[in-house]
Amino acid sequence: MLTIEDLSKTYADGTQALSGIGLDVPAGEIVALIGGSGCGKTTLLRLVAGLDRASAGTIRLDGEPIAAPHPGVGLVFQEPRLLPWLSVAGNVAFGLADLPRAERRARVAHALERVGLAEHAGRWPRELSGGQQQRVSIARAFVANPRVLLLDEPFSALDAFTRRDLHGHLLALWAETRPTVLIVTHDVGEAVALADRAVVMRPKPGRLDDAVALPLPRPRDPAAPQSEAATRTILAALDRSLRPAEAAPVNANWW
């Protein structure tokens, strides 16, 4: 269980990025964080990854506090961030140095096969397309068997066809070990395609505004009535989140 309790983040210049975030994510659930610009989605992901410190509140993984990078938490960025001096296989194996060589090779080979890049194991990152590079970064994240996987808009720079293809590869890897997944996205269709729950955030400061359950069978057809209904529900929640918060009613007897 990933547990986030009363989490807030205020930067040195006084900007309050997050306020009072509370979220429980059971093991194996995929949660999409969605909201307008400036609502703190990436900030929240960085805090869960241990890359930044919260101003208040706690993050726990199975009861263990997270305040620094944690071996049980993997992260995939918007850009692949591959190491150019390592081959595809070398990039996927990065971080597995403590494993016996045979196990390391077996894990890497399996992960590359699952993302459709087995034949590219010996190639260099510069020889791959953008979509192929992102497949390598996804394989690298899964090969370490994380308990929690964080994805920060990993498909936003890709065309629609490549994005949908990568959704399939991501879900295939997830189905094997079922880590908890938090994915930041601006794409409502992506949230419906991947997530078990979409959490809508409100900006300035970032806080949770609504949650939409997505109990749809996989694989999901975006044109299916259930998917279209879920899309409309999330869009309506997003619309509400972007409106100014209603002022509290004035007590006529305040004096």
Side-chain angles (χ1 to χ4, degrees), residues 9-254:
K9 175 64 179 179
T10 302
Y11 289 104
D13 64 359
T15 301
Q16 190 175 18
L18 296 173
S19 176
I21 300 290
L23 182 65
D24 290 335
V25 187
E29 185 180 24
I30 301 177
V31 171
L33 299 174
I34 193 165
S37 297
C39 67
K41 301 183 297 296
T42 294
T43 298
L44 177 56
L45 225 61
R46 287 180 57 84
L47 293 175
V48 176
L51 299 178
D52 202 353
R53 284 187 172 272
S55 303
T58 59
I59 303 168
R60 297 180 183 274
L61 177 57
D62 297 330
E64 179 185 354
I66 295 178
H70 189 286
V73 179
L75 179 60
V76 177
F77 296 95
Q78 183 174 351
E79 64 281 354
R81 299 196 183 185
L82 302 182
L83 302 175
W85 60 88
L86 293 179
S87 67
V88 166
N91 269 279
V92 176
F94 190 79
L96 300 181
D98 292 340
L99 295 179
R101 178 177 294 183
E103 182 179 353
R104 185 166 65 245
R105 287 180 172 176
R107 282 200 193 187
V108 170
H110 178 71
L112 287 176
E113 181 180 0
R114 294 300 283 167
V115 298
L117 291 176
E119 70 278 14
H120 298 301
R123 298 181 69 179
W124 302 104
R126 64 178 178 273
E127 298 176 313
L128 304 180
S129 68
Q132 289 173 326
Q133 290 183 21
Q134 197 63 301
R135 279 194 257 171
V136 175
S137 69
I138 290 170
R140 180 175 59 187
F142 273 100
V143 79
N145 293 335
R147 285 186 281 163
V148 175
L149 182 61
L150 310 173
L151 301 105
D152 189 6
E153 297 190 73
F155 312 122
S156 61
L158 304 173
D159 63 84
F161 178 81
T162 302
R163 191 160 57 243
R164 186 169 181 179
D165 183 50
L166 282 174
H167 289 169
H169 289 301
L170 173 67
L171 289 173
L173 282 167
W174 169 81
E176 293 186 348
T177 56
R178 291 186 176 265
T180 300
V181 174
L182 288 182
I183 178 169
V184 167
T185 181
H186 283 96
D187 186 337
V188 173
E190 185 166 84
V192 172
L194 296 175
D196 300 303
R197 182 170 34 139
V199 172
V200 179
M201 297 184 67
R202 175 182 288 273
K204 298 181 180 180
R207 55 209 187 276
L208 304 189
D209 194 65
D210 202 352
V212 178
L214 299 168
L216 311 178
R218 294 186 174 96
R220 296 175 179 175
D221 178 0
Q226 303 99 314
S227 296
E228 292 182 342
T231 298
R232 290 193 296 271
T233 300
I234 296 173
L235 286 171
L238 275 171
D239 181 63
R240 291 191 297 271
S241 76
L242 296 174
R243 298 175 188 170
E246 294 183 7
V250 176
N251 185 346
N253 298 318
W254 63 271

